[in-house]
Amino acid sequence: MKALLSTVFLLSTSAGFADTPLPGTTVDTHVLPGYETLAAQTAELSLAAATDCSVESPDLVAAYHDAFDAWIAVSHLRFGPSERNDRAFALAFWPDPRSATPKGLAALIADQDTVAANPDEFATVSVALRGFYALEQLLFDSQLTEAGPQEYICQLVRAIANDIAQNASEILLDWKTEYGNLMANPGNATYRTPDEALQQFFTALSTGLEFTAETRLGRPLGTFDRPRPNRAEARRSGRSLRNVIGSLTATKQLAEQLSMNDPKVEEAFNAAIQRATELDDPILAGVASPQERFRIEVLKQDIDNIRRILAEQVGPSLGIAAGFNSLDGD
């Protein structure tokens, strides 16, 4: 969407930068394109499920991966429209330490619960039964795909795909009609100043990187004596490393905007992305092998280095203390 956010606020120059980023520019070039892609790809996913809901359908599996890629590209933007009505959790309920997703899906299948036939009712079920990770279980876990009549499995696949598309569409609509303007035009109850809008983006960036380091990598790493490869994200669909690379690529774009293309930021991201690409370990199974584990640990250190650079050099320029921790509120 072009020229939606027309009002521009000029920011005072911050220490260490010749210019400062504009929140409206980030909305127009990072947020909206990401959510437009998500809405388009999830609509394709819903269409693919409606056309052929067989768990063996190559078109459905391809649409699932394309839509999941699009979600990963915006998954760090956990504020505003994605947080309303628990939309982000409904799209991506993970980690799931109590296995609520497979247990809940198994119960639906065993009962052949009619909730799957009604989109409005399905939108009210637990977030553990919705979104990309629930769909992954149905498409890639034979214990579920063979747990009941294929007609019902098919209906459930369609219900989840449709719900994903509906959520993505609603998030995009809220950004276009309301929230994008709040960030691009500060001076409102949500963002009083441009700095507050930029600080929100910095928090999202920091949280996204921390989630990748501590959860996407940290959970399967476990400890040296007790690695946890089965805790890797989306391992059933072979997406564990793919999600790490996708998130790093997306957060790099945001970081470059907030840092005004600081070469140190770009260099740090490039090093991490290159290392991740060279791992050739789709489900991070290497955490259980001393040699491969070391490579994954170094990747985590690369991401920690990015976080350090951002906290020390970029955060203060946006009015955020160098000791800022995105997940504990400091």
Side-chain angles (χ1 to χ4, degrees):
M1 181 182 59
K2 296 181 179 179
L4 171 70
L5 308 169
S6 57
T7 304
V8 176
F9 280 73
L10 298 178
L11 310 185
S12 60
T13 300
S14 298
F17 289 86
D19 298 293
T20 52
L22 299 172
T25 299
T26 299
V27 170
D28 282 338
T29 62
H30 182 72
V31 179
L32 290 180
Y35 277 119
E36 285 170 345
T37 299
L38 178 65
Q41 294 297 342
T42 55
E44 289 294 324
L45 173 62
S46 183
L47 177 61
T51 302
D52 183 357
C53 55
S54 167
V55 297
E56 298 177 352
S57 167
D59 290 339
L60 176 57
V61 170
Y64 158 83
H65 282 298
D66 288 343
F68 209 153
D69 285 343
W71 163 250
I72 293 299
V74 295
S75 61
H76 56 288
L77 300 171
R78 296 290 290 261
F79 63 91
S82 74
E83 295 299 275
R84 290 176 182 167
N85 301 318
D86 288 328
R87 288 169 179 160
F89 282 114
L91 286 170
F93 180 76
W94 185 83
D96 179 16
R98 298 184 179 180
S99 299
T101 296
K103 291 176 182 177
L105 291 174
L108 288 182
I109 295 169
D111 296 340
Q112 295 187 50
D113 197 312
T114 58
V115 71
N118 188 315
D120 291 335
E121 288 186 21
F122 191 80
T124 68
V125 303
S126 166
V127 292
L129 308 181
R130 303 162 64 188
F132 290 104
Y133 299 95
L135 187 56
E136 180 193 34
Q137 297 270 349
L138 290 179
L139 295 180
F140 298 95
D141 190 333
S142 60
Q143 289 186 345
L144 284 175
T145 60
E146 300 172 3
Q150 291 305 299
E151 293 80 3
Y152 185 77
I153 302 292
C154 178
Q155 186 179 61
L156 195 52
V157 165
R158 285 175 169 166
I160 295 174
N162 177 74
D163 184 64
I164 289 172
Q166 184 62 33
N167 254 326
S169 175
E170 290 174 358
I171 293 172
L172 176 61
L173 180 63
D174 280 359
W175 270 102
K176 284 185 172 182
T177 60
E178 176 191 359
Y179 207 84
N181 283 311
L182 294 178
M183 297 201 80
N185 302 305
N188 52 70
T190 305
Y191 299 105
R192 293 171 298 177
T193 66
D195 281 347
E196 288 188 358
L198 292 171
Q199 289 163 7
Q200 178 72 83
F201 279 127
F202 186 86
T203 299
L205 170 62
S206 300
T207 303
L209 287 166
E210 191 158 0
F211 187 81
T212 294
E214 303 301 331
T215 306
R216 290 191 169 109
L217 295 178
R219 277 178 61 82
L221 276 169
T223 65
F224 184 84
D225 293 331
R226 198 172 183 182
R228 303 282 194 173
N230 287 342
R231 292 186 176 182
E233 180 186 23
R235 62 179 177 80
R236 293 173 181 81
S237 54
R239 294 189 54 92
S240 308
L241 182 60
R242 181 170 176 169
N243 286 1
V244 169
I245 295 172
S247 182
L248 285 173
T249 301
T251 50
K252 176 189 176 187
Q253 182 190 57
L254 178 56
E256 288 177 339
Q257 291 192 12
L258 295 181
S259 70
M260 300 299 290
N261 296 309
D262 187 317
K264 290 184 178 179
V265 171
E266 181 181 6
E267 180 181 350
F269 268 97
N270 286 343
I273 292 171
Q274 180 177 350
R275 195 180 306 279
T277 303
E278 292 173 350
L279 274 181
D280 191 25
D281 186 1
I283 60 173
L284 301 177
V287 295
S289 165
Q291 182 175 354
E292 293 304 309
R293 177 186 179 82
F294 174 76
R295 298 176 66 198
I296 297 170
E297 287 176 335
V298 173
L299 171 59
K300 184 177 180 298
Q301 292 169 10
D302 285 342
I303 299 173
D304 290 339
N305 182 52
I306 295 172
R307 294 165 58 198
R308 179 188 58 78
I309 292 171
L310 292 173
E312 293 178 355
Q313 300 187 28
V314 180
S317 73
L318 303 177
I320 298 173
F324 168 79
N325 184 313
S326 58
L327 293 186
D328 67 15
D330 291 345

